[in-house]
Amino acid sequence: MLKLYYAKGTCSSAVYMTAKSLDIELELVQVNIVKAELEDGSDYKKITAKGYVPALQLENGEVITEVVAICAYLASLKGDNAVFPLFGKGMIDQLEWFNYIGTEIHKNYMPLFFKLFGMETGENWDSFTLKQLNKRYELIEKKLANQPYLTGETVTSTDFYLLMTTLWAVKTGYDLSTCPNVLAFKERMMQLPVVQQVLA
Ligand SMILES: N[C@@H](CCC(=O)N[C@@H](CS)C(=O)NCC(=O)O)C(=O)O
């Protein structure tokens, strides 16, 4: 069976939601991402030198990393599908949004997490981070004014990624009150059975 190296509440949950939506069974292997260790204390860096989740181990032992690559791989097992379309504009939309969330949203939360864990990030860096996140969410806020999900009327894999990163606003104290459409998106996503199962 495919093994997903996983930590609940992280971007790896977006992969798990994608797999469930595609009806793909996975064995979950919990990773302590602070120590880069598995539950038995073994070194996660032996699975992937990157040391972060997610990683997907195939039955032949090969390991795939990066959220978007794993989601695309899972989709490829099902052929064309609505969760992560593999052809034409549907596929391009996935790649475009995954990259945007990965580089413009996900990584801009990092200084807020460092601060939460008591690391000194510096005032200039903090205000830069907040400005960046505000700008990046502004675009999503506009997009979600006219449609319920990032690529239109249907939930896709990239919505799971946006959800997981956006849940970090509460954890880090990032204020999303100027983005009512993003907050409504979050609530809409939280009603989905697949989301509830993964976050339970
Ligand atoms: N570019 C990576 C980012 C993965 C990532 O940042 N994972 C976080 C959890 S959301 C993690 O495991 N961090 C621990 C670490 O960086 O050591 C991807 O797309 O998979």
Side-chain angles (χ1 to χ4, degrees), residues 7 9-13 15 31-36 44-45 50-55 65-70 98 102 106-107 110 113-114 161 164-165 168:
T10 69
C11 55
S12 61
S13 294
V15 172
V31 179
N32 177 330
I33 56 172
V34 177
K35 295 183 173 170
Y44 177 52
K45 288 203 174 135
K50 291 179 177 172
Y52 55 61
V53 292
T65 56
E66 303 299 310
V67 181
V68 65
I70 298 173
F98 262 99
H106 182 157
K107 289 301 158 180
M110 295 330 286
F113 273 112
F114 294 149
Y161 193 20
M164 289 319 301
T165 49
W168 300 339

Side-chain angles (χ1 to χ4, degrees), residues 22 79 84 116-117 143:
L22 288 164
F84 191 123
L116 193 69
F117 296 139
K143 192 73 185 171

